[in-house]
Amino acid sequence: LANVTFSQEFGVYSDLAVGYTHRLLDNDDPTIISNQSHNPFFNLAYRPTVRFGIVPHVEYLKATYEDNIGDFSNWLGALRLEYKFTRHLEGFFQYAHTARDYDSQYGEFEDFHVYDPSVGVGCRLSRAFSLNGWAGYFLQNNDESKDLGGYYMGGDLTWEAEHRKITLLASN
């Protein structure tokens, strides 16, 4: 795994991150297929006012496998709107869209799109602790087989002090 990320803060609570991740698994075990992936990404957190924030995120993932079975390209785009109700309470609405295109000639895999709206809230309990929760619904529109969909929810509790951060995460 190799990752390089450039990030720059500008303004109050606003930042830009551009990066690239490369994963490589070169394996001699015949039961595990060697593969690699390339993953450039872009994330912007822009807050034009103290209360309102806009967070677009775009990433591309290209995965290739040793035997060319299951190679795919994946695009993910998300837009998150955030609103700070008080100093300690904020909420968000997010829409994410994923498009996966398989390059396989074997027909084992089918292309799909995932539509994923969600909402959430975050609460700063103290200077060190924050609590977040979210819920959403995803719809996976498959090119050939029956579409999939379902509700999900999750939450996390984070402790943060100086240069340390611990997060407990739960989701379904």
Side-chain angles (χ1 to χ4, degrees):
L1 173 71
N3 176 277
V4 60
T5 302
F6 167 77
S7 62
Q8 177 67 45
E9 289 186 17
F10 62 95
V12 179
Y13 304 113
S14 294
D15 58 74
L16 167 71
V18 177
Y20 171 81
T21 301
H22 179 255
R23 291 176 182 86
L24 175 64
L25 175 61
D26 188 11
N27 203 330
D28 294 329
D29 184 343
T31 63
I32 301 174
I33 299 171
S34 296
N35 62 77
Q36 67 175 317
S37 66
H38 303 274
N39 183 210
F41 58 89
F42 166 84
N43 193 61
L44 172 68
Y46 176 62
R47 290 170 180 79
T49 70
V50 174
R51 293 195 181 272
F52 181 68
I54 302 167
V55 184
H57 174 82
V58 176
E59 69 178 70
Y60 174 75
L61 175 67
K62 176 67 176 169
T64 57
Y65 294 84
E66 184 176 46
D67 57 5
N68 295 329
I69 295 177
D71 292 1
F72 67 87
S73 300
N74 199 83
W75 280 99
L76 168 67
L79 180 62
R80 181 175 173 143
L81 304 175
E82 301 174 336
Y83 188 78
K84 198 175 232 359
F85 297 104
T86 68
R87 283 184 354 174
H88 303 289
L89 182 66
E90 65 181 41
F92 74 85
F93 171 78
Q94 178 173 288
Y95 176 75
H97 184 97
T98 303
R100 175 148 314 166
D101 180 25
Y102 283 98
D103 301 330
S104 176
Q105 306 132 3
Y106 301 100
E108 289 182 44
F109 306 99
E110 66 179 301
D111 300 344
F112 62 83
H113 290 262
V114 177
Y115 309 93
D116 182 5
S118 60
V119 295
V121 294
C123 182
R124 168 103 16 223
L125 303 172
S126 69
R127 293 185 77 166
F129 287 97
S130 62
L131 181 64
N132 299 292
W134 57 88
Y137 182 82
F138 77 93
L139 176 62
Q140 181 175 317
N141 184 299
N142 297 314
D143 275 2
E144 297 173 22
S145 64
K146 184 178 176 185
D147 294 344
L148 304 171
Y151 293 97
Y152 63 89
M153 58 188 199
D156 66 43
L157 175 66
T158 300
W159 172 79
E160 195 170 357
E162 293 191 25
H163 301 292
R164 294 178 208 77
K165 182 177 182 178
I166 298 172
T167 299
L168 299 172
L169 171 72
S171 66
N172 68 343

